[in-house]
Amino acid sequence: MTRTLQLSWPTPAERWDEAVPLGNGRIGAMAFGGPSGRYALNDATVWSGTPDGPAQALRDLIAAGAGPARLAQVRAALDAGDVRTAEGLLMAFEGRYSQEFLPFADLELRIANASADDSPRVLDLDDAVLTETLRVPAGTVRRRSWVSAPAQALLIELTADVEFAASIALTTPLRGDVVMAGHGAQGVTLDITAPIDGAPLHESSVEPPLRYAESDTDFDAFAAVAVGVDTDGFVDFEPSGATVHGARRLLVALSTSSRAASWWAGEDGEWRTASREAIRDLAIGQADAAVRRDPSALLAEHVADRRHVARARFAIGGRREGTWDVDRDIRHGTDLQFKATMAAEFGAYLLASSSRAGGTAANLQGIWNDQLRPAWSSNYTININTQMNYWAAPVLGMDDAFEPLIALVEHVARTGADTARELYGARGWVAHHNTDMWGWSLPVGMGHGAPSWAIWMMGGVWLTHNLWDAYEFGGDIELLRTRIWPVMRGAVEFCLDWLVPGPDGKLRTSPSTAPENSFIGPDGEPTAIGLTATSDLHLIASLFERALAAIAALGVDDPLAADIDRALAALAPVGIRPDGRLREWSADVVEVEPLHRHLSPLVGMYPLDVITRERTPELFDASVRLLDARGPGAMGWSWAWKIALRARTGDGDGAAALLDEALTPFDGDATRHGPVDGSEWGGLLPNLFSTHPPFQIDANLGFPAAIAEMLVQSHGGVTRLLPALPSTWTEGEVQGLGVRTGLVADLAWHGGSLASARLHNRGAEDRKVAVEYAGRDALVRVPAGASVDVPEEGFTDAASLAPGGRHAR
């Protein structure tokens, strides 16, 4: 009997979007399966660009006239109602572009005379291991593949009941050469050089689109991939790889290294001075160390590690463990409860595979990309996408997977401090619409980008809210003190300086945009530039409130507290349109796209909590009206956000209907770029990646957060059990969902009603938590390190057992 959750595909992959994603946060592998044994490889640190790229781009902008004086002219034009002049002036603030996440290499481990007839590829989501059985003339070969974080290697184990032969080949779409065969134990090494500049697809005028270093003074974007081999057969090395024959056992270990990885890890100047040989030796050493070990020990170590990464388990409808045919049971399946379970579990699997402590953060495609010029550079888009990538991590207890986001924000804050000072004359730090592994913090657009996506100053502010969630769910005060509060404080400083008083004395943002949306300007033409988008107010107000909470939690006497109090009291109010909808901008303008995919004005409802039914009933109702007006459908990440928003409103059936839409199969051309106006809907690719098209991983990673929000909510000082349970989700259980203040909840329900609830306190202090279910409240004490059942008889009809709107401690 299968005791883990397994996904099955009946045949090998022919296309990249049919391949199975494997990863350890550093090495990404798309496993095609079959006799060819192709693995399309990525290294999470291999991007175009250089460490000093953001600083040079800032110098270029300042030299071209951008800066505080130009900002003053922009604000004066907006105050005078001259939007077009403001737009023209803002073009001077647009830098070039963030850099591209690149494909890295291809490994082919071909088994001679093999066939894959009647042999499915089976991915164990719990163990993160892919298994296949291939037929050879006199018997079978079993292949198991996994990417181990402890071993820092892609490991491929082949065992057979007869002798078999295989070939090993390494290639790269970048500049590369096989420089060594037969190194160490036995193996092959490929040297790779990445470009030092990579233009996004929409910047068609940049030639060449990928530019490599031209002199020794340029950054040496060097990387290496090493393959180690251990077998009971014979190995012959060739110029491009190796052949194995007479084997019944074969272990292949592939490891990578790069100069960029040393830079990311903060190894002072070593990343500049390290020789290519030293970098190559890192990959060789890891591969050789792996193949010298027993494969069973490597596998056991890997499985134990993966079980540690994700705490939560979903069984909506009661089914989870087993082997499930992806096309039959999920993409074209009719059990919507089971499909919800799969969406949550697969999203958690992908996050654990693409983001691990010490590495880079999951980008637009996680760590999987096969295109030299991927959609939107496969970068970090920080007006929703990167944030959504990590919504689930605190809720699912994935602290290890969350750490790279903290590191990314720290990198961006460093370059963003210069950007805030030089461009805007502000303290703190700022980030805009895009960033990359080098910490890009400038606007993009090259002087011709649409302000709707190029000019947005709240990217860094929104990222800090993800970090605050990590503290609230985990309760780690040292993490708050040493890593989260320093970047939060810098974001607060920027916002304090960015806000300017309007004619009524209220503080506003100028210039301001609602991400990627636009309205009809005073001249009857579309524009995106205005004064004080609603999303600005929500992001800033919530940051200020959370900053005050951080100061109190840390017990520090910070002079910013008084400034924050004054600014909070003076913030401009959020408006409601005559038709009852929440405003997106500070005026009642005509929207260019009433069904726009972005839901930025609703950020205060989710993922923030400045808009709630209890705290702001009028704004809550207006937010629901706006959500209704935006309609269903569109694309993956927009679906995930709408599902979470519906959950916050308590509309479980509406959330389930949206999830059902999002989990429909997409069988069209996954390589084309679909329109972004919502006229074409996306869905699930054959390997369960969510696509618009093209593929972006944010929806896959957002689904677990949205589904968890339907089952447990803990914002506003109250833990709500089954707050948005759909009427069709009659049975189920979930284990390990995070609750703010450091608690963990296990739930089960039967016949659509709560059957059991248990709270675990993983902290060192006793907790008292207000719990709500079906309109009734209970105040539950959970001792430090203990677990407590929430008693049914403990619920009363009393309102708000947590005075002040925050968790009782």
Side-chain angles (χ1 to χ4, degrees):
M1 179 179 178
T2 301
R3 297 185 179 274
T4 55
L5 173 55
Q6 299 182 351
L7 303 181
S8 176
W9 292 264
T11 59
E14 295 182 358
R15 307 192 311 263
W16 188 85
D17 58 37
E18 296 173 342
V20 174
L22 305 170
N24 66 355
R26 171 66 183 272
I27 300 170
M30 295 293 285
F32 284 66
S36 69
R38 180 190 173 196
Y39 298 82
L41 302 170
N42 292 94
D43 180 307
T45 65
V46 175
W47 293 60
S48 62
T50 68
D52 62 354
Q56 182 58 55
L58 175 59
R59 290 192 291 269
D60 292 344
L61 280 185
I62 298 302
R70 180 68 62 92
L71 175 62
Q73 294 174 340
V74 171
R75 287 173 167 166
L78 288 172
D79 287 342
D82 189 352
V83 174
R84 302 308 165 193
T85 294
E87 287 179 343
L89 290 166
L90 281 168
M91 293 298 102
F93 289 81
E94 292 187 357
R96 288 174 62 79
Y97 38 77
S98 61
Q99 292 297 318
E100 299 198 311
F101 176 59
L102 297 167
F104 186 52
D106 256 47
L107 169 68
E108 185 177 275
L109 179 52
R110 182 177 292 275
I111 302 173
N113 303 314
S115 69
D117 297 341
D118 303 319
S119 177
R121 294 173 291 151
V122 178
L123 172 65
D124 190 314
L125 287 186
D126 293 334
D127 294 348
V129 176
L130 177 66
T131 302
E132 304 164 82
T133 300
L134 304 172
R135 299 185 184 279
V136 291
T140 59
V141 178
R142 185 188 189 211
R143 177 168 58 208
R144 293 194 293 188
S145 308
W146 67 96
V147 186
S148 168
Q152 281 298 298
L154 164 64
L155 296 160
I156 308 165
E157 180 195 23
L158 288 83
T159 55
D161 52 10
V162 295
E163 291 186 353
F164 66 91
S167 61
I168 301 169
L170 274 176
T171 58
T172 179
L174 304 174
R175 292 184 177 176
D177 295 293
V178 176
V179 296
M180 190 182 303
H183 68 71
Q186 288 189 126
V188 179
T189 305
L190 178 65
D191 278 4
I192 297 174
T193 302
I196 60 171
D197 187 64
L201 280 170
H202 60 265
E203 296 295 0
S204 57
S205 64
V206 177
E207 288 292 341
L210 294 175
R211 180 170 61 85
Y212 287 83
E214 298 175 351
S215 70
D216 292 340
T217 60
D218 289 326
F219 176 69
D220 180 18
F222 177 74
V225 55
V227 173
V229 178
D230 180 67
T231 180
D232 61 351
F234 302 92
V235 183
D236 296 322
F237 292 100
E238 303 168 352
S240 61
T243 57
V244 179
H245 55 94
R248 289 174 179 259
R249 175 185 58 80
L250 172 63
L251 176 66
V252 172
L254 179 146
S255 292
T256 66
S257 57
S258 72
R259 189 179 305 278
S262 300
W263 175 84
W264 177 268
E267 296 177 2
D268 298 326
E270 292 182 21
W271 60 269
R272 288 188 184 275
T273 58
S275 67
R276 289 191 165 200
E277 290 75 13
I279 295 170
R280 183 189 305 121
D281 285 346
L282 289 174
I284 293 173
Q286 290 174 155
D288 281 353
V291 295
R292 293 177 189 275
R293 297 178 59 192
D294 187 320
S296 62
L298 288 166
L299 180 60
E301 176 185 67
H302 163 73
V303 171
D305 172 72
R306 289 295 293 224
R307 297 294 178 90
H308 165 75
V309 176
R311 177 186 63 216
R313 290 290 184 270
F314 295 82
I316 301 165
R319 293 198 297 165
R320 183 185 186 277
E321 283 75 18
T323 302
W324 310 102
D325 184 279
V326 167
D327 206 53
R328 182 194 65 223
D329 297 323
I330 304 174
R331 293 180 77 235
H332 292 94
T334 58
D335 184 344
L336 303 185
Q337 296 183 91
F338 178 71
K339 291 174 72 170
T341 295
M342 292 299 101
E345 292 286 356
F346 189 60
Y349 166 84
L350 290 176
L351 182 57
S353 300
S354 60
S355 183
R356 295 296 302 272
T360 59
N363 60 59
L364 275 177
Q365 295 183 191
I367 54 170
W368 301 283
N369 165 46
D370 68 334
Q371 299 295 309
L372 284 170
R373 301 189 71 193
W376 302 290
S377 298
S378 191
N379 65 9
Y380 301 110
T381 303
I382 56 174
N383 66 9
I384 173 61
N385 311 88
T386 302
Q387 289 86 345
M388 181 178 288
N389 280 0
Y390 286 91
W391 283 350
V395 185
L396 305 187
M398 301 179 70
D399 299 343
D400 183 271
F402 188 85
E403 191 278 337
L405 183 66
I406 303 176
L408 174 66
V409 176
E410 289 170 333
H411 277 88
V412 177
R414 282 193 282 272
T415 68
D418 294 335
T419 300
R421 182 182 62 254
E422 298 296 326
L423 277 192
Y424 305 127
R427 297 171 296 165
W429 65 279
V430 64
H432 296 81
H433 172 239
N434 293 130
T435 188
D436 53 29
M437 82 163 287
W438 311 112
W440 178 274
S441 58
L442 295 167
V444 295
M446 295 184 66
H448 55 247
S452 62
W453 51 264
I455 304 296
W456 189 62
M457 292 74 176
M458 294 290 111
V461 176
W462 194 345
L463 285 170
T464 63
H465 287 295
N466 284 76
L467 272 54
W468 177 257
D469 282 344
Y471 163 68
E472 275 211 314
F473 278 95
D476 187 338
I477 194 70
E478 282 307 305
L479 181 67
L480 177 65
R481 186 189 315 278
T482 58
R483 300 190 70 181
I484 296 175
W485 174 239
V487 292
M488 279 185 69
R489 193 180 193 281
V492 168
E493 288 183 312
F494 173 77
C495 289
L496 289 170
D497 289 354
W498 183 249
L499 290 165
V500 292
D504 59 357
K506 294 292 185 180
L507 294 178
R508 58 182 182 167
T509 54
S510 176
S512 178
T513 59
E516 304 190 35
N517 208 351
S518 57
F519 58 91
I520 301 301
D523 58 1
E525 297 296 324
T527 185
I529 298 296
L531 302 174
T532 318
T534 295
S535 55
D536 289 3
L537 292 172
H538 287 159
L539 289 164
I540 293 172
S542 186
L543 174 65
F544 285 170
E545 290 181 353
R546 290 170 167 183
L548 292 174
I551 290 170
L554 294 171
V556 297
D557 182 14
D558 196 311
L560 275 187
D563 295 336
I564 294 170
D565 279 328
R566 285 190 291 269
L568 265 174
L571 275 181
V574 172
I576 298 175
R577 295 172 64 96
D579 62 5
R581 288 182 294 151
L582 191 72
R583 278 180 177 170
E584 185 152 8
W585 294 274
S586 57
D588 295 322
V589 294
V590 176
E591 301 144 306
V592 174
E593 292 184 54
L595 301 178
H596 198 268
R597 62 199 178 276
H598 277 261
L599 302 145
S600 304
L602 300 179
V603 69
M605 177 183 284
Y606 185 91
L608 308 181
D609 62 354
V610 294
I611 293 180
T612 67
R613 193 189 306 273
E614 299 78 16
R615 181 182 180 184
T616 56
E618 290 185 358
L619 292 178
F620 182 87
D621 290 343
S623 297
V624 173
R625 287 178 179 268
L626 178 58
L627 181 58
D628 290 343
R630 287 292 166 94
M635 57 197 69
W637 62 261
S638 186
W639 264 313
W641 198 356
K642 288 176 181 178
I643 295 163
L645 286 164
R646 286 293 177 192
R648 281 285 171 96
T649 71
D651 182 7
D653 286 342
L658 288 164
L659 182 62
D660 185 30
E661 291 176 359
L663 301 183
T664 56
F666 182 86
D667 294 317
D669 182 0
T671 63
R672 62 183 287 266
H673 287 211
V676 297
D677 61 3
S679 59
E680 293 184 20
W681 288 10
L684 297 183
L685 293 166
N687 63 0
L688 295 184
F689 279 164
S690 178
T691 190
H692 172 226
F695 157 61
Q696 289 180 198
I697 205 168
D698 35 40
N700 289 111
L701 303 187
F703 291 149
I707 292 166
E709 199 71 17
M710 298 165 72
L711 302 175
V712 176
Q713 297 177 15
S714 59
H715 60 282
V718 177
T719 295
R720 299 163 181 85
L721 307 181
L722 305 181
L725 186 70
S727 58
T728 54
W729 292 11
T730 56
E731 318 289 329
E733 63 177 307
V734 61
Q735 299 175 353
L737 290 189
V739 174
R740 288 173 176 86
T741 72
L743 300 182
V744 176
D746 299 338
L747 303 178
W749 63 96
H750 178 70
S753 297
L754 183 67
S756 65
R758 190 170 178 82
L759 295 175
H760 309 275
N761 185 350
R762 56 183 182 172
E765 298 180 10
D766 294 354
R767 297 289 190 222
K768 287 184 180 179
V769 59
V771 181
E772 179 186 288
Y773 169 67
R776 297 179 297 152
D777 296 321
L779 187 60
V780 180
R781 178 180 176 272
V782 190
S787 300
V788 173
D789 291 321
V790 180
E792 184 176 352
E793 62 273 13
F795 286 102
T796 71
D797 292 328
S800 187
L801 293 176
R806 294 293 170 194
H807 281 279
R809 297 265 181 174

